[in-house]
Amino acid sequence: MEQYDILIIGAGPAGMTAAIYGQRAGYRTLILEEAVLGGQIANTPEVENYPAVGKISGVELGMNLYNQVIEQGAQIEFDGVVSAQLEGTEKRLTTQSGKVYAGRAVIIANGAKRRKLGIPGEETYAGRGVSYCATCDGGFFKGKPTVVIGGGNTALEDALYLANLCTQVHLIHRRDAFRGSKVLVDAVLAKENILIHYDTVPLEVLSDDGQKVSGLRVRNVKDDRQSQLEAAGIFVAIGLAPDNQLFAGQIALDPAGYIVAGEDCKTNLDGVFAAGDTRTKSVRQIVTAAGDGAVAAAEAGNYLMRQ
Ligand code: NAP
């Protein structure tokens, strides 16, 4: 069994920042990541609000962070955690490949996942027109009409990204005012090929041939009228959901499933910290995730010094 001082779950901005700080403080640090480097930023076409960096693609920002993690001497394994034993002074994480890692402290920075709509056809056509990542899948719909569902920053960014590729982007929002930031709303309003459908909810993913998406049936919530939008791709951007069932029973979760931890990133268990989108917090941004990573590593260091 491999032994570390700090085990980090997740290689997003929170986890990678925690690794930089943990390793620099002299602690042997390992990140375990189940999917891709960067977490949600890997799906972000352009980041414009990370201080001092200017405009950068999410993938490049993730790579920069990764390089910094490696330069500092921390390690990353692409192996998802399937079970966790977090109580006591020696914590253990078991991964998909069957390896068991022991750590004196654990930082959970596993982020959050895109929420699903739960409408007919969504699951059937997932990967065949229904997508949760515009930057990953947008290219498949070049020159075709698409739909984006949601009214937050992700939906606005997705619509802008797709507008440069697709003939038309239908942006569907269930209310008459966007939740996202003004700069993105203004950019969306200025795009000629983004057609906004306010007060509209999706009802059913449609397919002409039973193989791939051909459209979306929607309903206007004000007048109750239903209509069909032609689309080859449907991009769901209706927010995030935590993925913390693995820790339930050991770690306190809030009613929505996020880990209960304050600004000090401390959970109910000694030596276990939660950083970034995975914890109860009001502002979920890259900069706040990175801030959490630094705090969690510092608190983990304080905890280890007391051991
Ligand atoms: P979000 O801010 O939670 O917005 C989700 C949107 O989906 C809301 O407009 C919501 O409508 C709508 N929605 C939720 N459930 C729905 C349903 N079942 N059917 C139809 N619509 C539904 O989520 P997000 O845009 O993914 O962003 C997540 C976090 O990351 C936010 O804190 C966001 O600010 C941050 N983020 C920041 C940036 C940036 O700063 N550039 C970029 C991306 C994400 P209501 O408005 O009516 O609730």
Short mmCIF file of all heavy atoms in Angstrom, two decimals, residues 116-148:
data_model
loop_
_atom_site.label_atom_id
_atom_site.label_comp_id
_atom_site.label_asym_id
_atom_site.label_seq_id
_atom_site.Cartn_x
_atom_site.Cartn_y
_atom_site.Cartn_z
N LYS A 116 -28.89 16.70 -14.78
CA LYS A 116 -29.67 16.18 -15.92
C LYS A 116 -31.09 16.75 -15.89
O LYS A 116 -31.60 17.14 -14.84
CB LYS A 116 -29.74 14.64 -15.83
CG LYS A 116 -28.35 13.99 -15.76
CD LYS A 116 -28.13 13.07 -16.92
CE LYS A 116 -26.67 12.78 -17.15
NZ LYS A 116 -26.17 11.59 -16.51
N LEU A 117 -31.74 16.75 -17.07
CA LEU A 117 -33.09 17.30 -17.17
C LEU A 117 -34.15 16.35 -16.66
O LEU A 117 -35.14 16.76 -16.06
CB LEU A 117 -33.41 17.59 -18.64
CG LEU A 117 -32.80 18.83 -19.26
CD1 LEU A 117 -32.93 18.76 -20.77
CD2 LEU A 117 -33.48 20.08 -18.73
N GLY A 118 -33.97 15.07 -16.99
CA GLY A 118 -34.97 14.07 -16.60
C GLY A 118 -36.20 14.08 -17.48
O GLY A 118 -37.30 13.76 -17.03
N ILE A 119 -36.04 14.46 -18.76
CA ILE A 119 -37.20 14.44 -19.68
C ILE A 119 -37.08 13.25 -20.63
O ILE A 119 -35.97 12.73 -20.85
CB ILE A 119 -37.32 15.76 -20.50
CG1 ILE A 119 -36.06 15.98 -21.36
CG2 ILE A 119 -37.59 16.94 -19.59
CD1 ILE A 119 -36.20 17.10 -22.37
N PRO A 120 -38.20 12.82 -21.22
CA PRO A 120 -38.13 11.69 -22.16
C PRO A 120 -37.14 11.96 -23.30
O PRO A 120 -37.10 13.07 -23.84
CB PRO A 120 -39.56 11.59 -22.69
CG PRO A 120 -40.41 12.25 -21.66
CD PRO A 120 -39.58 13.31 -21.03
N GLY A 121 -36.38 10.96 -23.64
CA GLY A 121 -35.43 11.06 -24.75
C GLY A 121 -34.04 11.51 -24.33
O GLY A 121 -33.06 11.28 -25.05
N GLU A 122 -33.92 12.14 -23.15
CA GLU A 122 -32.60 12.66 -22.74
C GLU A 122 -31.59 11.53 -22.62
O GLU A 122 -30.49 11.60 -23.18
CB GLU A 122 -32.73 13.40 -21.41
CG GLU A 122 -31.38 13.97 -20.92
CD GLU A 122 -31.47 14.62 -19.55
OE1 GLU A 122 -32.38 14.26 -18.76
OE2 GLU A 122 -30.61 15.48 -19.26
N GLU A 123 -31.97 10.50 -21.90
CA GLU A 123 -31.03 9.39 -21.68
C GLU A 123 -30.81 8.59 -22.98
O GLU A 123 -29.68 8.25 -23.32
CB GLU A 123 -31.60 8.47 -20.59
CG GLU A 123 -30.55 8.03 -19.59
CD GLU A 123 -31.19 7.29 -18.45
OE1 GLU A 123 -31.77 7.98 -17.58
OE2 GLU A 123 -31.14 6.06 -18.45
N THR A 124 -31.93 8.36 -23.71
CA THR A 124 -31.85 7.57 -24.95
C THR A 124 -30.87 8.18 -25.94
O THR A 124 -30.11 7.47 -26.60
CB THR A 124 -33.25 7.50 -25.62
OG1 THR A 124 -34.19 7.13 -24.63
CG2 THR A 124 -33.28 6.50 -26.75
N TYR A 125 -30.90 9.53 -26.05
CA TYR A 125 -30.08 10.18 -27.07
C TYR A 125 -28.83 10.86 -26.50
O TYR A 125 -28.19 11.63 -27.19
CB TYR A 125 -30.94 11.15 -27.89
CG TYR A 125 -32.03 10.40 -28.63
CD1 TYR A 125 -33.34 10.44 -28.20
CD2 TYR A 125 -31.70 9.59 -29.71
CE1 TYR A 125 -34.33 9.69 -28.85
CE2 TYR A 125 -32.67 8.84 -30.35
CZ TYR A 125 -33.97 8.89 -29.92
OH TYR A 125 -34.92 8.14 -30.56
N ALA A 126 -28.48 10.55 -25.26
CA ALA A 126 -27.23 11.06 -24.69
C ALA A 126 -26.08 10.48 -25.53
O ALA A 126 -26.03 9.28 -25.79
CB ALA A 126 -27.09 10.63 -23.24
N GLY A 127 -25.23 11.36 -26.03
CA GLY A 127 -24.13 10.92 -26.89
C GLY A 127 -24.55 10.77 -28.35
O GLY A 127 -23.72 10.50 -29.21
N ARG A 128 -25.85 10.94 -28.63
CA ARG A 128 -26.35 10.87 -30.01
C ARG A 128 -27.10 12.16 -30.33
O ARG A 128 -28.11 12.17 -31.02
CB ARG A 128 -27.26 9.65 -30.19
CG ARG A 128 -26.49 8.34 -30.09
CD ARG A 128 -27.31 7.17 -30.57
NE ARG A 128 -28.27 6.74 -29.56
CZ ARG A 128 -29.40 6.10 -29.85
NH1 ARG A 128 -29.73 5.85 -31.09
NH2 ARG A 128 -30.21 5.71 -28.88
N GLY A 129 -26.61 13.24 -29.74
CA GLY A 129 -27.22 14.55 -29.96
C GLY A 129 -27.43 15.30 -28.65
O GLY A 129 -27.35 16.52 -28.61
N VAL A 130 -27.67 14.56 -27.58
CA VAL A 130 -27.80 15.22 -26.27
C VAL A 130 -26.41 15.26 -25.64
O VAL A 130 -25.73 14.23 -25.54
CB VAL A 130 -28.78 14.47 -25.34
CG1 VAL A 130 -28.78 15.10 -23.95
CG2 VAL A 130 -30.18 14.48 -25.94
N SER A 131 -25.98 16.46 -25.23
CA SER A 131 -24.63 16.62 -24.70
C SER A 131 -24.64 17.52 -23.46
O SER A 131 -25.54 18.35 -23.29
CB SER A 131 -23.73 17.24 -25.78
OG SER A 131 -22.50 17.65 -25.23
N TYR A 132 -23.61 17.36 -22.65
CA TYR A 132 -23.45 18.19 -21.45
C TYR A 132 -22.17 19.00 -21.55
O TYR A 132 -21.71 19.56 -20.56
CB TYR A 132 -23.47 17.30 -20.18
CG TYR A 132 -24.75 16.50 -20.10
CD1 TYR A 132 -24.88 15.29 -20.76
CD2 TYR A 132 -25.85 17.02 -19.42
CE1 TYR A 132 -26.07 14.59 -20.75
CE2 TYR A 132 -27.05 16.32 -19.39
CZ TYR A 132 -27.15 15.11 -20.06
OH TYR A 132 -28.34 14.42 -20.05
N CYS A 133 -21.58 19.04 -22.74
CA CYS A 133 -20.29 19.74 -22.89
C CYS A 133 -20.18 20.32 -24.30
O CYS A 133 -19.91 19.59 -25.26
CB CYS A 133 -19.15 18.77 -22.62
SG CYS A 133 -17.54 19.52 -22.91
N ALA A 134 -20.39 21.63 -24.41
CA ALA A 134 -20.37 22.27 -25.73
C ALA A 134 -18.98 22.24 -26.36
O ALA A 134 -18.86 22.02 -27.57
CB ALA A 134 -20.87 23.71 -25.61
N THR A 135 -17.95 22.46 -25.56
CA THR A 135 -16.60 22.48 -26.17
C THR A 135 -16.18 21.08 -26.61
O THR A 135 -15.42 20.94 -27.56
CB THR A 135 -15.54 23.06 -25.21
OG1 THR A 135 -15.72 22.47 -23.94
CG2 THR A 135 -15.63 24.55 -25.11
N CYS A 136 -16.66 20.05 -25.90
CA CYS A 136 -16.28 18.69 -26.30
C CYS A 136 -17.01 18.28 -27.58
O CYS A 136 -16.43 17.69 -28.47
CB CYS A 136 -16.65 17.65 -25.24
SG CYS A 136 -16.37 18.15 -23.56
N ASP A 137 -18.30 18.58 -27.66
CA ASP A 137 -19.14 17.99 -28.71
C ASP A 137 -19.64 18.99 -29.75
O ASP A 137 -20.23 18.57 -30.76
CB ASP A 137 -20.37 17.31 -28.07
CG ASP A 137 -19.96 16.21 -27.09
OD1 ASP A 137 -18.89 15.62 -27.31
OD2 ASP A 137 -20.70 15.96 -26.14
N GLY A 138 -19.43 20.28 -29.52
CA GLY A 138 -19.96 21.30 -30.43
C GLY A 138 -19.57 21.07 -31.88
O GLY A 138 -20.38 21.26 -32.79
N GLY A 139 -18.33 20.63 -32.10
CA GLY A 139 -17.82 20.42 -33.46
C GLY A 139 -18.64 19.45 -34.28
O GLY A 139 -18.69 19.56 -35.51
N PHE A 140 -19.33 18.52 -33.63
CA PHE A 140 -20.16 17.55 -34.36
C PHE A 140 -21.36 18.22 -35.03
O PHE A 140 -21.99 17.63 -35.90
CB PHE A 140 -20.70 16.46 -33.40
CG PHE A 140 -19.63 15.60 -32.79
CD1 PHE A 140 -19.53 15.47 -31.41
CD2 PHE A 140 -18.72 14.92 -33.59
CE1 PHE A 140 -18.53 14.68 -30.84
CE2 PHE A 140 -17.73 14.12 -33.03
CZ PHE A 140 -17.63 14.01 -31.66
N PHE A 141 -21.68 19.42 -34.59
CA PHE A 141 -22.91 20.07 -35.07
C PHE A 141 -22.62 21.32 -35.90
O PHE A 141 -23.46 22.19 -36.04
CB PHE A 141 -23.83 20.38 -33.88
CG PHE A 141 -24.07 19.17 -33.03
CD1 PHE A 141 -23.40 18.99 -31.84
CD2 PHE A 141 -24.92 18.17 -33.48
CE1 PHE A 141 -23.58 17.85 -31.08
CE2 PHE A 141 -25.11 17.02 -32.73
CZ PHE A 141 -24.43 16.85 -31.53
N LYS A 142 -21.42 21.36 -36.45
CA LYS A 142 -21.03 22.48 -37.31
C LYS A 142 -22.01 22.60 -38.48
O LYS A 142 -22.33 21.60 -39.14
CB LYS A 142 -19.61 22.21 -37.85
CG LYS A 142 -18.84 23.44 -38.16
CD LYS A 142 -17.41 23.12 -38.47
CE LYS A 142 -16.72 24.38 -38.92
NZ LYS A 142 -15.34 24.19 -39.20
N GLY A 143 -22.49 23.83 -38.70
CA GLY A 143 -23.40 24.06 -39.83
C GLY A 143 -24.81 23.55 -39.60
O GLY A 143 -25.60 23.46 -40.54
N LYS A 144 -25.12 23.17 -38.37
CA LYS A 144 -26.47 22.66 -38.06
C LYS A 144 -27.09 23.49 -36.91
O LYS A 144 -26.37 24.14 -36.16
CB LYS A 144 -26.37 21.20 -37.62
CG LYS A 144 -25.91 20.28 -38.73
CD LYS A 144 -25.72 18.88 -38.23
CE LYS A 144 -25.26 17.98 -39.37
NZ LYS A 144 -24.79 16.70 -38.91
N PRO A 145 -28.42 23.41 -36.76
CA PRO A 145 -29.03 24.13 -35.64
C PRO A 145 -28.91 23.34 -34.32
O PRO A 145 -28.94 22.10 -34.35
CB PRO A 145 -30.50 24.25 -36.07
CG PRO A 145 -30.72 23.13 -37.02
CD PRO A 145 -29.41 22.77 -37.65
N THR A 146 -28.77 24.06 -33.23
CA THR A 146 -28.65 23.41 -31.92
C THR A 146 -29.53 24.14 -30.90
O THR A 146 -29.99 25.25 -31.14
CB THR A 146 -27.19 23.42 -31.39
OG1 THR A 146 -26.69 24.75 -31.51
CG2 THR A 146 -26.31 22.46 -32.15
N VAL A 147 -29.68 23.48 -29.75
CA VAL A 147 -30.43 24.07 -28.63
C VAL A 147 -29.51 24.06 -27.41
O VAL A 147 -28.78 23.09 -27.19
CB VAL A 147 -31.69 23.22 -28.30
CG1 VAL A 147 -32.32 23.69 -26.99
CG2 VAL A 147 -32.71 23.30 -29.42
N VAL A 148 -29.55 25.14 -26.64
CA VAL A 148 -28.89 25.17 -25.33
C VAL A 148 -29.98 25.41 -24.30
O VAL A 148 -30.82 26.30 -24.48
CB VAL A 148 -27.82 26.29 -25.24
CG1 VAL A 148 -27.26 26.39 -23.83
CG2 VAL A 148 -26.70 26.05 -26.25
#
